[in-house]
Amino acid sequence: MLILGVLLIGIPVVVGGIFSCVEDMRGKLLFRWVSGQFLLWAGFQVISVPLIIRGQDFGRLVWAFWLYMAALMLFALGWGIRRGSFLLHVDKEGKAKQSSELILWGICAAMLLFQLVQAVRLAYADGDDAYYVAISASTQDSDTMYLRVPYTGETTLLNFRHSLAPFPIWIAFLAKVSGMSAVMVAQTVLPVVLISMSYAIFYLIGAKLFPEGGGQLALYMIFTELLVLFGDYSFYTAENFMIARSRQGKAALGNIVIPFLVLLLLLLMKRLQEEQRVPVPLYLLVGAAAVTGCLCSTLGALLICMAVGIAGLSAAVCYKKFRFLLPLAACCMPCVCYALLYLLLAD
């Protein structure tokens, strides 16, 4: 559990210091955590797909990703020391919170805790787990990636359709380095982390929608939690995926990747509206979100390109700034490459 805490919280917070110049909002620590995790996810996708296609052992991927994380941490520490942003600065409120606001935040925290406890305590029967969680368990046990049938354990040819979105392999990596079983990591640990990350992103979006803070932001979070709690009106809702199937890549795509992309586009639009220079790390984060979408699901390549393209064209027309379409197009190029690779290999 300590190793998983370092991997899922400690290292992303350190790596997220690279994006300190983008942290012009409330919740700087949350932004560092989420942005750092996205950079790690993007690196895992870039490293794992070539190794999977070449039929390499899972152990080689584990060592390669360790080296990637170590290099990112060293770079982030050096970057933070150089910019003087190595230490985390706590936001100081100009006025004390009123008792009504504290009550609202207490309700928000209680509802979040209830959801996390229920996600761990209750077991949700889902047919997709028979494939995705089994892939993680098979990868951990056999040291191969997508070369065994998850239902029977027999050897098979490489499944290109699923291997281009190796989110289960990332779960197997967590299980391998922590010594826990892949099923335990997927069913018990990841729901707590990924649901918390979803609400962290919702909080950051709310901080942009309600910059004055106060009780409005707390009410926004409470109503968001209510929508999630009572959102299981269909088997395919985002709320169902968030609470009951958070360990699946398509759930992370709908509840983490796309909301974080919306937040990044809000930051981008604000800088264009105020005629400020868009920092390179912001474009880097958009590119990391695009690659992470491909890690979660092959459909992520299409959805990310559509979202970025529509937002970019709308901003270019509204603010008459067409030059920034080029870096946005560059951010979408990984999605185009993975989509072409899917068309070539999945037949």
Side-chain angles (χ1 to χ4, degrees), residues 266-325:
L266 284 174
L267 295 176
L268 181 64
M269 302 300 177
K270 180 184 177 183
R271 290 182 178 273
L272 291 177
Q273 185 179 23
E274 298 176 353
E275 297 185 352
Q276 297 180 359
R277 186 182 66 87
V278 179
V280 175
L282 183 54
Y283 286 121
L284 177 61
L285 267 180
V286 175
V291 178
T292 303
C294 298
L295 169 71
C296 297
S297 173
T298 51
L299 185 61
L302 173 64
L303 296 178
I304 297 297
C305 287
M306 288 179 57
V308 174
I310 293 174
L313 288 174
S314 301
V317 173
C318 292
Y319 304 120
K320 296 181 175 59
K321 295 182 181 294
F322 293 91
R323 290 187 300 175
F324 91 104
L325 290 176

Side-chain angles (χ1 to χ4, degrees), residues 18-193:
I18 299 174
F19 306 103
S20 57
C21 61
V22 189
E23 300 174 5
D24 56 343
M25 63 183 76
R26 293 171 177 263
K28 293 183 178 181
L29 180 60
L30 295 177
F31 185 81
R32 288 184 61 164
W33 175 40
V34 177
S35 59
Q37 184 61 67
F38 266 77
L39 194 57
L40 293 172
W41 271 334
F44 188 86
Q45 169 74 355
V46 173
I47 295 171
S48 61
V49 169
L51 294 178
I52 293 173
I53 293 176
R54 294 180 60 187
Q56 298 294 323
D57 294 337
F58 175 58
R60 182 166 297 185
L61 170 59
V62 172
W63 281 108
F65 191 58
W66 269 122
L67 292 176
Y68 172 75
M69 287 194 298
L72 272 185
M73 288 189 63
L74 291 176
F75 179 79
L77 292 174
W79 180 267
I81 294 174
R82 179 181 178 183
R83 292 177 57 91
S85 59
F86 175 72
L87 298 177
L88 296 175
H89 301 284
V90 180
D91 297 330
K92 296 182 179 179
E93 299 289 341
K95 58 181 180 180
K97 290 183 172 58
Q98 299 180 358
S99 58
S100 59
E101 183 180 350
L102 292 175
I103 293 174
L104 291 176
W105 283 114
I107 296 173
C108 177
M111 293 175 64
L112 174 59
L113 181 61
F114 172 76
Q115 294 183 37
L116 296 180
V117 171
Q118 293 295 86
V120 174
R121 189 180 68 88
L122 300 178
Y124 182 80
D126 180 67
D128 288 343
D129 285 343
Y131 185 89
Y132 294 111
V133 177
I135 281 289
S136 302
S138 175
T139 300
Q140 181 186 13
D141 296 335
S142 65
D143 200 36
T144 61
M145 296 180 288
Y146 293 103
L147 293 177
R148 289 185 180 271
V149 180
Y151 307 114
T152 63
E154 299 175 345
T155 58
T156 183
L157 298 177
L158 181 62
N159 187 332
F160 288 106
R161 175 176 174 268
H162 292 95
S163 62
L164 296 180
F167 195 81
I169 307 299
W170 175 69
I171 298 177
F173 167 80
L174 298 177
K176 179 76 172 179
V177 299
S178 65
M180 300 175 65
S181 68
V183 177
M184 181 68 72
V185 173
Q187 299 279 1
T188 304
V189 178
L190 279 185
V192 175
V193 176

Side-chain angles (χ1 to χ4, degrees), residues 240-284:
N240 177 284
F241 277 82
M242 176 179 172
I243 296 298
R245 298 195 274 175
S246 55
R247 65 261 179 191
Q248 298 176 9
K250 47 194 172 183
L253 173 66
N255 293 290
I256 295 179
V257 179
I258 293 179
F260 187 64
L261 181 64
V262 171
L263 172 65
L264 297 179
L265 293 175
L266 284 174
L267 295 176
L268 181 64
M269 302 300 177
K270 180 184 177 183
R271 290 182 178 273
L272 291 177
Q273 185 179 23
E274 298 176 353
E275 297 185 352
Q276 297 180 359
R277 186 182 66 87
V278 179
V280 175
L282 183 54
Y283 286 121
L284 177 61

Side-chain angles (χ1 to χ4, degrees), residues 115 195 199 202 222-232 237-240 242-243 255:
Q115 294 183 37
I195 292 174
Y199 280 116
F202 295 153
I222 290 174
F223 279 107
T224 301
E225 291 174 325
L226 286 174
L227 289 174
V228 172
L229 279 173
F230 294 94
D232 193 23
T237 61
E239 294 85 355
N240 177 284
M242 176 179 172
I243 296 298
N255 293 290

